Amino acid sequence: AQRVTQPEKLLSVFKGAPVELKCNYSYSGSPELFWYVQYSRQRLQLLLRHISRESIKGFTADLNKGETSFHLKKPFAQEEDSAMYYCALTGLSGTYKYIFGTGTRLKVLA
Amino acid sequence: SAVISQKPSRDICQRGTSLTIQCQVDSQVTMMFWYRQQPGQSLTLIATANQGSEATYESGFVIDKFPISRPNLTFSTLTVSNMSPEDSSIYLCSVTATNEKLFFGSGTQLSVL
Protein backbone atom coordinates (compact mmCIF):
# COMPACT_ATOMS: atom_id res chain seq x y z
CA ALA A 1 0.00 0.00 0.00
CA GLN A 2 1.12 3.54 -0.67
CA ARG A 3 2.00 5.29 2.53
CA VAL A 4 4.00 8.21 3.87
CA THR A 5 5.27 8.01 7.43
CA GLN A 6 6.51 10.88 9.53
CA PRO A 7 7.46 9.32 12.85
CA GLU A 8 7.77 12.52 14.85
CA LYS A 9 4.72 14.61 15.71
CA LEU A 10 6.82 17.28 17.37
CA LEU A 11 10.46 18.20 17.03
CA SER A 12 12.00 20.89 19.21
CA VAL A 13 15.47 22.26 18.54
CA PHE A 14 17.42 25.29 19.62
CA LYS A 15 18.18 28.10 17.23
CA GLY A 16 21.38 27.35 15.34
CA ALA A 17 21.12 23.61 15.83
CA PRO A 18 20.80 21.19 12.91
CA VAL A 19 17.35 19.94 11.98
CA GLU A 20 16.27 16.69 10.41
CA LEU A 21 12.61 15.88 9.84
CA LYS A 22 12.15 12.27 8.93
CA CYS A 23 9.99 10.92 6.14
CA ASN A 24 9.72 7.35 4.95
CA TYR A 25 7.49 6.12 2.20
CA SER A 26 6.05 2.99 0.74
CA TYR A 27 5.28 3.02 -2.97
CA SER A 28 5.38 0.45 -5.73
CA GLY A 29 6.75 2.52 -8.57
CA SER A 30 8.69 5.69 -9.16
CA PRO A 31 7.41 8.28 -6.72
CA GLU A 32 7.77 11.99 -6.65
CA LEU A 33 8.39 13.29 -3.16
CA PHE A 34 7.61 16.73 -1.78
CA TRP A 35 7.82 18.68 1.41
CA TYR A 36 5.00 21.09 2.18
CA VAL A 37 5.08 23.62 5.00
CA GLN A 38 2.37 25.47 6.89
CA TYR A 39 3.41 28.50 8.90
CA SER A 40 1.13 29.85 11.59
CA ARG A 41 -2.08 31.30 10.12
CA GLN A 42 -0.91 30.65 6.57
CA ARG A 43 -1.98 28.13 4.00
CA LEU A 44 -0.10 25.00 3.10
CA GLN A 45 2.61 25.69 0.54
CA LEU A 46 5.28 23.78 -1.30
CA LEU A 47 8.73 23.92 0.27
CA LEU A 48 10.63 21.68 -2.11
CA ARG A 49 10.37 18.67 -4.40
CA HIS A 50 12.96 16.01 -4.94
CA ILE A 51 13.20 16.32 -8.72
CA SER A 52 14.27 19.95 -8.40
CA ARG A 53 17.21 19.08 -6.19
CA GLU A 54 17.20 22.62 -4.88
CA SER A 55 17.67 24.25 -1.51
CA ILE A 56 14.85 26.42 -0.26
CA LYS A 57 15.28 28.58 2.85
CA GLY A 58 18.36 26.51 3.63
CA PHE A 59 16.43 23.23 3.58
CA THR A 60 17.45 20.26 1.48
CA ALA A 61 16.05 16.78 1.04
CA ASP A 62 17.55 13.82 -0.74
CA LEU A 63 15.53 10.93 -2.02
CA ASN A 64 17.08 7.66 -0.85
CA LYS A 65 15.39 4.90 -2.78
CA GLY A 66 17.28 2.18 -0.95
CA GLU A 67 15.97 3.33 2.42
CA THR A 68 12.73 4.71 0.94
CA SER A 69 13.34 7.96 2.75
CA PHE A 70 13.12 11.65 1.98
CA HIS A 71 14.34 13.37 5.11
CA LEU A 72 14.30 17.16 5.32
CA LYS A 73 17.45 18.78 6.65
CA LYS A 74 18.78 22.18 7.57
CA PRO A 75 22.21 22.75 9.12
CA PHE A 76 21.25 25.73 11.29
CA ALA A 77 17.65 26.17 12.42
CA GLN A 78 16.10 29.61 12.68
CA GLU A 79 13.11 30.70 14.73
CA GLU A 80 11.14 31.48 11.57
CA ASP A 81 11.41 27.82 10.58
CA SER A 82 8.87 26.97 13.26
CA ALA A 83 5.94 25.46 11.36
CA MET A 84 4.11 22.30 10.46
CA TYR A 85 5.90 20.20 7.85
CA TYR A 86 4.24 17.58 5.69
CA CYS A 87 5.95 15.04 3.52
CA ALA A 88 3.94 14.04 0.46
CA LEU A 89 4.13 11.58 -2.38
CA THR A 90 2.65 11.45 -5.84
CA GLY A 91 3.28 9.64 -9.05
CA LEU A 92 0.13 7.58 -8.99
CA SER A 93 -0.37 6.78 -12.65
CA GLY A 94 -0.42 10.39 -13.70
CA THR A 95 -3.54 11.20 -11.72
CA TYR A 96 -1.72 13.78 -9.63
CA LYS A 97 -3.13 12.26 -6.47
CA TYR A 98 -1.05 13.02 -3.43
CA ILE A 99 -0.58 11.04 -0.25
CA PHE A 100 0.44 13.04 2.80
CA GLY A 101 2.20 12.10 5.99
CA THR A 102 0.74 13.06 9.34
CA GLY A 103 3.05 16.01 9.67
CA THR A 104 5.79 17.10 12.06
CA ARG A 105 5.55 20.28 14.06
CA LEU A 106 8.95 21.94 14.26
CA LYS A 107 9.59 24.33 17.12
CA VAL A 108 12.78 26.31 17.06
CA LEU A 109 13.60 27.66 20.48
CA ALA A 110 15.50 30.87 21.07
CA SER B 1 1.24 30.12 -9.55
CA ALA B 2 -2.44 29.73 -8.78
CA VAL B 3 -4.31 31.86 -6.26
CA ILE B 4 -7.17 30.05 -4.59
CA SER B 5 -10.06 31.68 -2.79
CA GLN B 6 -11.93 29.32 -0.51
CA LYS B 7 -14.99 30.22 1.50
CA PRO B 8 -16.29 30.19 4.09
CA SER B 9 -13.13 30.17 6.16
CA ARG B 10 -14.98 28.70 9.09
CA ASP B 11 -18.47 27.77 10.14
CA ILE B 12 -20.32 26.26 13.04
CA CYS B 13 -23.23 24.09 11.98
CA GLN B 14 -25.98 22.11 13.56
CA ARG B 15 -26.20 18.35 13.26
CA GLY B 16 -28.27 17.24 10.27
CA THR B 17 -27.69 20.35 8.18
CA SER B 18 -25.50 20.78 5.08
CA LEU B 19 -22.72 23.19 4.23
CA THR B 20 -21.39 24.08 0.79
CA ILE B 21 -17.78 25.18 0.47
CA GLN B 22 -16.66 27.13 -2.56
CA CYS B 23 -13.28 27.13 -4.26
CA GLN B 24 -12.39 29.73 -6.89
CA VAL B 25 -9.07 29.75 -8.74
CA ASP B 26 -7.66 32.73 -10.60
CA SER B 27 -6.51 30.67 -13.56
CA GLN B 28 -7.49 27.55 -15.42
CA VAL B 29 -6.07 24.49 -13.74
CA THR B 30 -5.76 20.87 -14.70
CA MET B 31 -6.95 19.21 -11.55
CA MET B 32 -8.94 20.24 -8.52
CA PHE B 33 -9.04 18.21 -5.35
CA TRP B 34 -10.83 18.27 -2.03
CA TYR B 35 -9.01 17.15 1.11
CA ARG B 36 -10.07 16.68 4.69
CA GLN B 37 -7.77 17.22 7.63
CA GLN B 38 -9.17 15.91 10.87
CA PRO B 39 -7.66 17.07 14.16
CA GLY B 40 -4.19 15.64 14.64
CA GLN B 41 -4.33 13.68 11.42
CA SER B 42 -2.96 13.94 7.94
CA LEU B 43 -4.63 15.32 4.85
CA THR B 44 -6.97 12.75 3.35
CA LEU B 45 -8.12 13.04 -0.23
CA ILE B 46 -11.90 13.07 -0.49
CA ALA B 47 -12.25 13.30 -4.26
CA THR B 48 -10.98 14.71 -7.51
CA ALA B 49 -13.36 17.28 -8.96
CA ASN B 50 -13.81 16.66 -12.68
CA GLN B 51 -14.97 19.43 -14.94
CA GLY B 52 -18.35 18.72 -16.41
CA SER B 53 -18.69 15.23 -14.97
CA GLU B 54 -19.06 13.38 -11.72
CA ALA B 55 -16.23 13.62 -9.22
CA THR B 56 -13.95 10.67 -8.57
CA TYR B 57 -14.24 9.65 -4.94
CA GLU B 58 -11.67 7.92 -2.79
CA SER B 59 -12.40 4.86 -0.74
CA GLY B 60 -14.56 5.74 2.23
CA PHE B 61 -16.15 8.80 0.65
CA VAL B 62 -19.43 8.79 -1.26
CA ILE B 63 -21.26 11.25 -3.44
CA ASP B 64 -24.38 11.31 -1.27
CA LYS B 65 -22.37 12.56 1.68
CA PHE B 66 -19.94 14.81 -0.20
CA PRO B 67 -21.50 15.99 -3.46
CA ILE B 68 -19.04 17.94 -5.56
CA SER B 69 -19.56 20.19 -8.53
CA ARG B 70 -17.09 21.63 -11.01
CA PRO B 71 -18.94 23.53 -13.68
CA ASN B 72 -15.80 25.02 -15.23
CA LEU B 73 -12.02 24.96 -14.99
CA THR B 74 -11.76 27.55 -12.23
CA PHE B 75 -14.57 26.78 -9.78
CA SER B 76 -15.68 23.90 -7.60
CA THR B 77 -17.93 23.30 -4.62
CA LEU B 78 -17.95 20.64 -1.95
CA THR B 79 -21.06 20.02 0.11
CA VAL B 80 -20.90 18.25 3.43
CA SER B 81 -24.38 16.76 3.80
CA ASN B 82 -26.39 15.68 6.81
CA MET B 83 -23.57 16.66 9.10
CA SER B 84 -22.63 14.99 12.34
CA PRO B 85 -19.95 15.94 14.88
CA GLU B 86 -17.60 13.44 13.20
CA ASP B 87 -17.55 15.75 10.17
CA SER B 88 -15.84 18.45 12.21
CA SER B 89 -12.63 19.01 10.33
CA ILE B 90 -10.70 21.34 8.06
CA TYR B 91 -11.66 20.99 4.41
CA LEU B 92 -9.08 22.05 1.85
CA CYS B 93 -9.38 22.79 -1.83
CA SER B 94 -6.23 22.22 -3.82
CA VAL B 95 -5.33 22.56 -7.47
CA THR B 96 -2.55 21.68 -9.82
CA ALA B 97 -1.69 23.07 -13.20
CA THR B 98 0.71 21.45 -15.62
CA ASN B 99 3.76 21.20 -13.41
CA GLU B 100 2.13 18.92 -10.82
CA LYS B 101 2.79 21.34 -7.99
CA LEU B 102 -0.14 21.51 -5.61
CA PHE B 103 -1.58 24.82 -4.49
CA PHE B 104 -3.88 24.97 -1.51
CA GLY B 105 -6.74 27.14 -0.44
CA SER B 106 -6.74 28.56 3.05
CA GLY B 107 -9.16 25.89 4.23
CA THR B 108 -12.60 25.80 5.81
CA GLN B 109 -12.73 24.96 9.48
CA LEU B 110 -16.02 23.23 10.14
CA SER B 111 -17.43 22.54 13.58
CA VAL B 112 -20.61 20.49 13.91
CA LEU B 113 -22.56 20.70 17.15
Side-chain angles (χ1 to χ4, degrees), chain B residues 72-91:
Chain B
N72 56 52
L73 290 174
T74 63
F75 184 77
S76 178
T77 66
L78 167 74
T79 299
V80 185
S81 302
N82 188 25
M83 288 184 285
S84 65
E86 292 72 35
D87 295 321
S88 297
S89 186
I90 296 174
Y91 292 86

Side-chain angles (χ1 to χ4, degrees), chain A residues 5-61:
Chain A
T5 302
Q6 293 179 251
E8 303 141 327
K9 282 195 170 182
L10 173 65
L11 183 64
S12 296
V13 300
F14 284 101
K15 177 181 173 181
V19 173
E20 183 178 56
L21 287 80
K22 290 184 168 49
C23 172
N24 288 88
Y25 67 90
S26 171
Y27 182 73
S28 56
S30 295
E32 287 195 59
L33 275 295
F34 303 78
W35 277 99
Y36 281 80
V37 60
Q38 188 167 29
Y39 301 103
S40 179
R41 297 190 185 86
Q42 295 186 28
R43 63 187 65 192
L44 205 57
Q45 58 186 287
L46 178 67
L47 180 61
L48 54 82
R49 57 194 298 186
H50 91 269
I51 62 172
S52 299
R53 302 189 64 80
E54 57 194 346
S55 173
I56 304 293
K57 299 184 178 183
F59 285 98
T60 59

